[in-house]
Amino acid sequence: MTRAGGALLALLAAGAPLHAASAPAVRGAGGAVAAAEASATRAGVALLRAGGNAVDAAVATALALAVSHPEAGNLGGGGFAVVRFGDEIVTLDFRETAPAAAHAGTYLDADGDPIAEASTLGALAAGVPGTPSGLYALHQRFGSRPWAEVVDPAYHLAAGGFPVSRRLHDALVEEQEVLARFPTTAAVWLPGGAPPPIGSIVRLPELAATLARYAGLGPAGITSGPVASAVERTVAAGGGILTAADMAAYEPVWRPAVRFSAFGWELASMDLPSSGGIILGQTLGVLERLGWKDRPRFGADRAHLLAETWRRAFADRYLLGDPATTGARAADLLAAAWLDERAGEIDRAHASSSEAVAPWPGEADEADDTTHVSVVDGAGNVVAMTTTLNGSFGCGLLVPEAGFLLNNQMDDFATAPGRPNLYGLVQGAANAVGAGKRMLSSMTPTIAWNGSDVVAVGGRGGSRIPTATAQVLLNLIVDGDPLQSAVDRPRLHHQWRPDRLEADPDALGPETAAELERRGHALYFWPLPVKVHAVRRLADGTTEAAADPRGPGVGDVATPDVAAPGAPGGSK
Ligand code: DON
C-alpha cells in the first residue's frame, strides 16, 4: 500500500480529519451558481438577480474566472458547455485546436524522442484558443441580457482590481518557479518577484482593455486585430507556432449531448472530443448492471466494482480522439451489448490486471465527419461548463498587450508514442497531433434529472474528472446524499494505466483497504487533485449550490433562504 506524503501520514496518525464535516449546501431560490472563486460566483449571481438566465450567468462567471482565477479561467484556452434550456439539450465544444503548423512530430526530436517540456511549458504548448468564440456563441444562442452586461463584471474586476484570495496566492506560490521563467507573466503575477499577498488588490489594465474590446466587438476583438497580432508576436518570440490566422479561423461546434439513463435518472454529458461523457455513461451503465446499488455503501465491494469498471472505461478511452478524424464513437462504447460484456468480464472477488484488459475490439471510424461552472436559473434552465488552460497557468506564457495567459492544451494529445501526459494518461493513435485537430479531453460537464430535480455538475482535475463526477452523481442519485455531502465525500480513482487504485487519504478504512489488497488492487493514497462544483433545483423551485471544499470554491443563490442554516448570503 502506498501513501503519498509524510505530512499526510503524520496527520492520519494523529487521527485528524482531512475534510471538515459537510456544511449544508447554500439554499434559496431564483437560481444558483457554484464556481471556484467568490468573485466569479458573485458575477453569475449578479446576472441572475438582474433577470438574466442560466447562460448569461454561466458566461459571466466564466469570464470573471478568467480574471480572478488565472490559473484555469481563461480567454487563452477552451472548454465545453452542456446546456438544458427549456426542452432543448445541446452542448458547445469550444475546445482548442492544434495550430495549422502542428504535426505528429511537433513534440519529438530528430531521434523521435519527446522534447522535454515542449508540450507543457512555453509557446509551443499552446493550442488555438476556443474560449473567446465559445462564450460568445453560447450567449448569442441562449443569452437574454445584452452581451456588454455579461462581460461587465469581469471587466470591472480587471479594471477596478480585486483582492487576492488565499486560493490564488497559494496557486501562485506553487507555480512561482515556473512563472518566473516567463518575464511577461512574472511582470503581472509576480510583481516585485513574488506572488502578491493575500488580500492585496491586483489590477489588470491590459486584460481590462481586452475585455472592453470583447464587450464591444465580440470574439473579433480578440481573434483578429491587435490582440491576435500580439498573441502571434509573443508566441513567435517564444518559439511557438500559433498564429493570428489560426485564431481567426477557429470555430466552436454545437454537438448533440451524450445521453443515457441510469438508476432512474436521465443524463446529458459531453461527447467527443471529450471522453468524459463516455466514461461517465460506461461507469453508470456497468455499475447498474452489476447491482451496485444493493452492495453495502462503505466497504470493499463497491470500491472494487468502481475500480474494475473504470479500468475498462479508460482502456476504451485509448481508442478515442477528435471525432473529425478517427477513433471509436460514443454509440460503440455505450452500446448495451458492450456494457453487458464489460459487466460480464468483472470478477467480484479478484482485481483484473490492466495488462489483460484490452480496449473495445470493434472497427473504429477511419475519418470523415466530423475551472467548472454549474448554474441553474429560477426557471430550471441549466448550464454545466468546464473551461481550462490545461495545466495550472497553462503554458506559463502571458501575452503582455492582451493581459491573458495561453493554454498548454497540446499536451492532451498523445504527443509521443507511449508517453504518459500531465495526468498520467497513456493515449492512442486516434489522439495523435494533427493540424486543426481537437485534442482528447476528460472534462465531464453533466446535467442529470429525474421527475422532480435537476442537477448540474462537473469539475477540474484532468483524468480524474469523470471518476469524481461519477462518484458525486452516485452519492446523489443512488444514496440520496444532500448536495454538499455528495460533493465533499472522499473519492477513489482508477484509469487503467498506471494499474493502481487511487484513494483520497480518508476514503478507505483499514479493513476495507486490506480487503481490496487481498483482491489484488495496488492502493495509492493521496489527496486526489480534482474539484467538483454542483447546483440543483428541486421540484418546489428551491435552488442549491455546493462548491468543492478542496478548492475551496464558492456556491451562492440568487435569493438566499435566510431561514436555512449555512446560507448567510451565500459564501461558505
Ligand atoms: O481536457 C482535459 O481533460 C484537461 N486538459 C483538463 C485539465 C484540468 O482539469 C486541469 N485541472 N486540474
Side-chain angles (χ1 to χ4, degrees), residues 65-166:
L65 287 168
V67 180
S68 58
H69 192 291
E71 68 268 44
N74 67 81
L75 290 174
F80 297 107
V82 181
V83 179
R84 194 183 83 158
F85 202 88
D87 292 334
E88 197 177 355
I89 296 169
V90 70
T91 77
L92 185 68
D93 160 4
F94 52 104
R95 181 69 162 168
E96 297 90 330
T97 54
H103 54 85
T106 296
Y107 299 100
L108 304 177
D109 66 16
D111 297 328
D113 294 325
I115 303 169
E117 296 186 344
S119 66
T120 54
L121 275 186
L124 191 60
V128 185
T131 297
S133 316
L135 296 183
Y136 187 73
L138 274 174
H139 178 265
Q140 285 291 102
R141 179 152 172 186
F142 293 111
S144 68
R145 303 300 301 172
W147 173 240
E149 189 180 321
V150 173
V151 181
D152 195 57
Y155 171 78
H156 276 286
L157 279 175
F162 61 92
V164 171
S165 65
R166 175 179 297 279

Side-chain angles (χ1 to χ4, degrees), residues 95 388 390 409 412 423 441-443 460-462 465:
R95 181 69 162 168
T388 182
N390 192 30
Q409 216 71 245
D412 272 355
Y423 304 98
S441 172
S442 304
M443 293 191 274
R460 61 174 295 220
I465 296 171

Side-chain angles (χ1 to χ4, degrees), residues 28 81 105 114 144 161 176 221 240 270 277 279 292 301 408 430 447 466 546:
S144 68
Q176 181 167 355
M270 195 63 219
I279 295 171
W292 198 78
D301 280 2
N408 59 348
I447 296 173

Side-chain angles (χ1 to χ4, degrees), residues 28-32 84 265 376-382 448-450 452-456 483 535-545:
R84 194 183 83 158
W265 285 64
V376 59
D377 65 24
N381 303 310
V382 198
W449 64 99
N450 62 5
S452 56
D453 301 354
V454 59
V455 174
L483 190 68
V535 296
R536 173 163 67 177
R537 184 177 186 276
L538 306 169
D540 66 0
T542 301
T543 52
E544 299 177 310

Side-chain angles (χ1 to χ4, degrees), residues 97-102 126-129 223 232 241-251 435-436:
T97 54
V128 185
T223 61
E232 178 169 313
I241 54 178
L242 168 63
T243 64
D246 289 324
M247 305 255 305
Y250 182 87
E251 300 219 13

